[in-house]
Amino acid sequence: MTRFKTIAGAFTAALLATSLYTASPAFADPDSALAELQKTVLSKGPNGETPASAASIKLTDEELAKIKDMKATAAIVMHYGGNDWSRAQVAGLKDQFGKMGIDVIATTDAGFKPEKQVADLETVMAQNPKIIVSIPTDPSATASAYKAVADKGVKLVFMDNVPSGFVAGKDYVSVVSADNYGNGVAAAHLMAKALGGKGDIGLVFHAADFFVTKQRYDGFKKTIADNYPDIKIVAEQGIGGPDFTGDADKAASAILTSHPTINGIWAVWDVPAEGVISAARTAGRDDLVITTCDLGENVAINMASGGFVKGLGAQRPFDQGVTEALLAGYGLLGKEAPAFVALPALPVTKDSLLEGWKAVYHTEATDKIKSSM
């Protein structure tokens, strides 16, 4: 089975800026930009769709009663389960499915391997679920497997991305995402704020055909270029996984070796950021600024203790899971659903960490985070 395709040609400005995103506005200072980000969604959907608000996705008491009477079953087919984002997605899905009387009969983890995800779909289908909520590891390599699922009448709801060639309302109910472009924008403004608007930085990006991580990369890079002329991107390194922490450690070490006076490094999400933290420690670069996307516990602990991580753009995975479950209900009822639903970015710094954790996970911050503050 083909592994992830290289994205060397996928990050062209023409493709990303003209077809998938709304324009990123320029601001005079990072604080104004970060405040505005929480009021809007900058991303568009995988096929250029305008986002609908997650707050608009609702079921009436009568509709909920009809769904409960169906005694439907659901499966959750993840791309990767080894981070706090995935666990929060599953928690949100199970919480809302429980309220709808829908039994979750399987939860799978593909380890970011398309061939494993195809096998997971085949295994899950043997249990005849009425609903599958999933995120494709690779939109092309998994498309035929998802098509076989759709052809059997299973209601498909996607996280973040859809298989190649799929049509909303026909092959799947809807796709739900964070504002990943906006989270890349947030990480850029937070980097600029931490650096005082000037310095040299490097990027550790996801070297795969993966829609949402491309969005983050493009949002970060364009924001720096448009708003901060005194910040220069002097190095970029791609990582393919599945050992994202180890790969990022090596990538960041290479950047720090070739650019020993670099001021900051952006990592595409929190797990690679852990590798960048490791590289910075090994290099003795206590002054290095790191920003990223996704609020995982390890980067939160580093941020809380005044470490390398100065800020990040957080998704709202629990709320995303709740919204996906509600849309699955739309599918069961034959209720028309928007093709793309998105939740706004959430900038988080040490000052807003405890509040941000509660907004993201719907629980208090862990004892390890609190003790690190």
Side-chain angles (χ1 to χ4, degrees):
M1 181 67 67
T2 304
R3 281 186 57 80
F4 296 120
K5 296 176 287 185
T6 179
I7 53 169
F11 283 127
T12 59
L15 172 64
L16 295 174
T18 61
S19 62
L20 296 176
Y21 315 113
T22 56
S24 177
F27 293 90
D29 68 274
D31 288 328
S32 296
L34 293 166
E36 287 296 318
L37 266 178
Q38 299 177 68
K39 301 176 185 178
T40 188
V41 172
L42 298 179
S43 297
K44 289 192 175 183
N47 297 306
E49 304 96 337
T50 299
S53 168
S56 69
I57 306 304
K58 298 176 181 178
L59 294 169
T60 66
D61 290 342
E62 182 181 357
E63 288 170 333
L64 285 169
K66 288 181 180 178
I67 291 169
K68 287 179 181 178
D69 287 343
M70 294 179 187
K71 300 187 184 304
T73 57
I76 305 169
V77 179
M78 299 299 293
H79 61 330
Y80 172 69
N83 62 1
D84 293 312
W85 179 89
S86 293
R87 287 186 283 269
Q89 278 267 359
V90 172
L93 280 161
K94 288 184 174 180
D95 183 74
Q96 185 59 39
F97 276 142
K99 295 174 182 177
M100 297 162 69
I102 295 172
D103 184 24
V104 178
I105 57 175
T107 303
T108 65
D109 176 0
F112 251 123
K113 297 177 181 177
E115 62 271 23
K116 173 67 164 60
Q117 190 165 52
V118 169
D120 288 343
L121 285 167
E122 293 171 352
T123 300
V124 162
M125 283 301 292
Q127 301 180 60
N128 296 314
K130 296 294 184 183
I131 298 161
I132 289 180
V133 182
S134 186
I135 173 170
T137 54
D138 182 302
S140 298
T142 60
S144 60
Y146 283 112
K147 189 67 169 65
V149 171
D151 288 346
K152 291 188 177 180
V154 176
K155 305 304 178 185
L156 278 165
V157 177
F158 289 108
M159 308 170 184
D160 292 348
N161 197 10
V162 299
S164 299
F166 269 45
V167 177
K170 176 187 174 185
D171 301 305
Y172 65 100
V173 178
S174 183
V175 57
V176 185
S177 180
D179 184 3
N180 282 285
Y181 187 92
N183 277 320
V185 172
H189 288 304
L190 290 164
M191 175 69 77
K193 183 175 180 178
L195 294 178
K198 59 183 178 181
D200 293 339
I201 63 173
L203 312 182
V204 176
F205 64 89
H206 186 200
D209 182 16
F210 204 68
F211 178 65
V212 297
T213 52
K214 291 182 197 176
Q215 287 185 306
R216 297 173 182 189
Y217 170 93
D218 192 63
F220 183 94
K221 196 168 182 178
K222 191 172 190 303
T223 300
I224 293 295
D226 289 354
N227 295 274
Y228 303 105
D230 293 329
I231 297 178
K232 306 298 182 185
I233 298 173
V234 297
E236 300 186 32
Q237 290 277 341
I239 56 172
D243 179 13
F244 291 103
T245 303
D247 288 356
D249 189 337
K250 294 173 185 174
S253 294
I255 290 173
L256 290 167
T257 298
S258 58
H259 299 276
T261 61
I262 202 166
N263 304 107
I265 294 178
W266 171 77
V268 64
W269 75 86
D270 62 307
V271 176
E274 293 173 26
V276 179
I277 291 169
S278 175
R281 284 177 178 152
T282 300
R285 285 297 312 275
D286 294 341
D287 60 333
L288 188 75
V289 171
I290 297 172
T291 66
T292 187
C293 301
D294 295 349
L295 182 60
E297 184 180 34
N298 290 336
V299 294
I301 290 169
N302 186 271
M303 187 190 301
S305 64
F308 300 98
V309 180
K310 303 305 181 186
L312 54 85
Q315 301 188 70
R316 304 169 192 261
F318 188 97
D319 292 336
Q320 190 174 336
V322 169
T323 305
E324 290 151 3
L326 290 169
L327 284 163
Y330 277 47
L332 292 175
L333 295 169
K335 182 176 179 178
E336 185 176 358
F340 176 62
V341 180
L343 297 90
L346 179 65
V348 178
T349 63
K350 181 179 180 180
D351 290 342
S352 62
L353 177 55
L354 298 181
E355 179 185 353
W357 187 274
K358 193 168 185 178
V360 170
Y361 295 109
H362 290 226
T363 63
E364 296 290 334
T366 66
D367 291 340
K368 289 181 180 180
I369 295 171
K370 289 180 178 178
S371 66
S372 300
M373 292 293 290

